[in-house]
Amino acid sequence: MIVRILGQGRFDVPGADMPAVEQLDAQLTDALDRDDEGAFDSALADLVGLVRHAGVLLPADDLQTSGLVVPHPGSSLSEVRDLLAEES
Amino acid sequence: MSVMKRLSGIVQAKANKALDKAENPADMLDLSYEKQAENLQKVRRALADVATAKKRLELQAAELQGQATKLQDQAKQALAQGQEDLARQALTRRAGLADQLTELGTQHQQVEAQQQQLETTATRLSTQIEAFRTKKETLKASYTASKAQASIGEAVSGISESMTDAGMTLERAQDKISQMQARAGAIDELIDTGALPDALGGGKDDIQAQLDATSQSGQVDSELAALKAQLGTAPAAGGALPSAPDGAPGTTTADPTGPAAGGS
C-alpha cells in the first residue's frame, strides 16, 4: 500500500505492516473524536515513525498515487480538524 | 471513516480540482508542469520567509536574554543597597522575561521544523520537475497512440497529488510563518511600549533610576538637609537617614532645588 505523509513524500508500506498502520490510524481517529490532544500527538508521532520505518520512500519522479494520507508530522489536533473540515 | 482515509479523499479531490481546467491530456501535462514550477517558486519564497522569521526570533531572544541578565544584576545591586522591594521587583520582571524566552524557544523549534519540511518539499519538487519535464514530452509525443492516454492519465494524477501535497505543506508553513510574525510583532510592541521590563536602552529603566537615586541619596539627603536649614524649614523626618527609601526621586524632582541635587 502506498501511504503519503504530507510534506514528506510517499512510502511503499508492505502488506504485513498495514494492520499496525491501520491500528494507529484508528487511535488517531479516536483521539480526534475524543478531542484528546495528548493521545492525538502520540498516535500521530507513532504513525509517522511506523510509515517511515516500515515503508520504502518512493523516488520523487515515481508518479504512483497513494491510497492513504498521514497528516504533516507534528500537526496539532486542531490543525488536522481544520484540514478535514475542507471535506464538505 | 478514519483520518488517513478522509485525508486521502481530500488530497484526491484537491488534485482533481487542480486539473479540471485542462481540456485534454496534453494540456494537463503542461498545466501540471507549470503548477509544479510555480509551487517550487512559492516554496523557495516561503523558505526565505522562514529564515527571516528565525533570525527575528533569535534577535528577540538575545535582546530579552540581555534584559534578563541586566535585571538579575539590578536585583543584586538592590539587595546590596538593602532595597529588598526593588530587588523583588527586578526579579519579578525577570521571571516575566523567562516566560517569554521559553515561548521564543518553542517558536524557534517550530520554525526549524517548518524549515526542514520546506527544504524536503523543495528538494522533492525540483527532482520531480526535472523528471517530469522529460516525461511529459515523451508522453505528448505518443499521445496520438490511444494506449498512451492511460499512462498520461496516471502520470497526471500522480503529479497532481504531489502538487497538492506541496501546496498543502506550503499553506501550512505560511500559516505558521504568519502566526510567528504576529507573535514577534506583539513582542516588539511589548518591548516598545515598555510593557516588557525596561527593554531597549536605559530610557525607561525605572529600576536603574531608583538604584542610582539610592546610591546618591546619602549625599543628596545631607545636601537637602543643609539647604532646608538655610531656608529655615525643618528637615524631613527621614532626611537624616543616609539610605532611607524616603529620599526617593520624587522628592528630589518636586523640590525646586533640584539642580543642586543634579550637580552632585
Side-chain angles (χ1 to χ4, degrees), chain A residues 3-4 6-9 25 29 58 60-61 63 65-75 79 83 86-87, chain B residues 2-8 10 12 14 117 120-121 124 128 131 155 157-159 161-162 165 168-169 172 176:
Chain A
V3 178
R4 175 181 290 280
L6 286 178
Q8 306 286 306
D25 187 16
T29 309
L58 292 176
D61 59 351
L63 295 175
T65 50
S66 62
L68 288 171
V69 175
V70 180
H72 290 103
S75 297
E79 269 181 88
L83 263 190
E86 293 180 31
E87 253 172 352
Chain B
S2 83
V3 168
M4 286 172 78
K5 285 180 190 149
R6 289 174 68 189
L7 259 188
S8 176
I10 289 167
Q12 302 312 331
K14 279 175 182 270
Q117 280 197 355
T120 306
T121 303
R124 293 188 66 78
Q128 224 166 30
S157 305
I159 205 74
E161 183 190 307
S162 294
D165 181 352
M168 288 167 83
T169 302
R172 178 170 187 257
K176 295 269 174 206

Side-chain angles (χ1 to χ4, degrees), chain A residues 3-26:
Chain A
V3 178
R4 175 181 290 280
I5 302 177
L6 286 178
Q8 306 286 306
R10 290 150 308 140
F11 296 79
D12 194 355
V13 179
D17 292 300
M18 283 313 292
V21 169
E22 278 156 20
Q23 199 189 332
L24 284 170
D25 187 16

